Amino acid sequence: MYEPGKLRVVERPIPEPGPGQVRIRVESCGICHTDAATILGVYSGLTLPRVPGHEVVGRVEALGDGVTRWKVGQRVGVGLIAGEDGVCDSCRRGDSVNCQNPVSSGVTADGGYAEMMIAEARALASVPDELTSVEAAPLLCTGVTTYNALRNAGLRGGDLVAVQGIGGLGHLGVQFARHMGFRTVAIGRGGEKEKLAKELGAHVYIDAAAENAAEALQRMGGARAILASGTSGDAMAQLLSGLSARGKLIVVGAPEDPIQLSALPLIFGGRSIYGSLTGTPIDSEDTLAFSVLQNIRPMIETFPLEKAADAYACMMEGKARFRVVLVTRAGTAQKPTAK
Ligand SMILES: NC(=O)c1ccc[n+]([C@@H]2O[C@H](COP(=O)([O-])OP(=O)(O)OC[C@H]3O[C@@H](n4cnc5c(N)ncnc54)[C@H](OP(=O)(O)O)[C@@H]3O)[C@@H](O)[C@H]2O)c1
Ligand SMILES: [Zn+2]
Ligand SMILES: [Zn+2]
């Protein structure tokens, strides 16, 4: 029986992949804050019951008809947008991440809080040997989301870039911003995360609980971009006046409350605000490759799959430093991969 907000361990028959699909023996799956929308039963288009999870890494163990690109035994990853329909206007314009009718892991199809998962072959990303499965998993959503948002923002080396909300997304956003060559500011609440944020690569840490973050950014000349990854619309709205002229507030966090903005900083200074949705499988491969190139790794805490409910609670209570990753029996059996 399904109860909103409750995760339960269930036994199911082993599923067979259909045409164009593969079965993956899951090794690890990160817990993204977006999973809350599945677990609470509020994600648009969700059908229940559902296995959550869209930061999945494992090995291909069965191929459906017509799958030629992937081999049994190959290590692969799956993110949130896990199969575009190929026929909607967005797809026809080559914008498959904004497909209007996608397969979404953990929403329209069962995800990775499981020993095995059926995935569309076209949704797979190849995982490089340099990354262990627990390291790679968060890069399939939290990683590609922040990496894509930053690399597509039209920024230049040396620009002042702030990352707001130092959680799963934010802690990778800080690392990507630093390694892309930006003057990197981390904005969190409280002094407790300052040391970690600086270890992750932030040049400056702003404690938004102690000072006005927008004013602090203006004292540094104003941010060319702020990657807003927190779960508060009110906190995002307060940052708008911290942008430089032509600065961009890039919304990746999905708060429940509205973002209420004054029009004036938008008009005077040509500032803008827009959203960015995760990425495609090839964007995920780029994220994994950049992480190997720059030695970027998520900071993780692992839980066995059976403890998914405790792991989810850890994330929801804001206690994770910084990403909780579930490890299956197959994942536990893996030897660490060479760095
Ligand atoms: N755009 C996309 O494609 C995409 C992809 C993945 C996730 N998301 C969304 O991004 C958001 C973050 O996901 P996550 O997995 O990183 O979550 P998370 O690990 O739980 O981190 C969320 C962070 O939000 C900040 N926060 C929480 N309450 C706040 C408040 N009242 N005011 C200001 N900041 C607050 C906290 O940072 P501090 O303690 O440092 O302030 C917290 O660490 C979620 O809404 C999720 O659904 C979007
Ligand atoms: Zn996610
Ligand atoms: Zn489409």
Side-chain angles (χ1 to χ4, degrees), residues 311-323:
Y312 171 69
C314 174
M315 182 279 296
M316 288 302 280
E317 289 161 16
K319 291 184 182 152
R321 292 292 175 271
F322 282 94
R323 195 47 134 200

Side-chain angles (χ1 to χ4, degrees), residues 83-92 96 99 101 122:
E84 70 283 10
D85 66 0
V87 297
C88 73
D89 283 1
S90 296
C91 285
R92 291 173 66 212
S96 60
C99 177
N101 186 33
R122 66 190 185 285

Side-chain angles (χ1 to χ4, degrees), residues 31-34 54 141-142 145 164-170 187-189 193 229-232 235 251-255 276-278 315 322-323:
I31 297 193
C32 178
H33 205 106
T34 304
H54 59 261
C141 177
T142 185
T145 299
Q164 181 250 348
I166 310 304
L169 262 64
I187 304 173
R189 295 163 306 151
K193 286 184 183 169
S229 86
T231 49
S232 160
V251 176
V252 285
S276 182
L277 174 64
T278 187
M315 182 279 296
F322 282 94
R323 195 47 134 200

Side-chain angles (χ1 to χ4, degrees), residues 116-137:
M116 53 196 80
M117 172 182 173
I118 299 292
E120 303 296 319
R122 66 190 185 285
L124 302 183
S126 178
V127 176
D129 288 344
E130 289 87 345
L131 299 169
T132 63
S133 294
V134 286
E135 289 169 341

Side-chain angles (χ1 to χ4, degrees), residues 3-9 31 39 50-52 113 308-310 312-313:
E3 267 184 86
K6 284 247 165 79
L7 283 166
R8 278 195 312 133
V9 179
I31 297 193
I39 294 165
R50 186 57 76 211
V51 178
Y113 292 19
D310 295 342
Y312 171 69

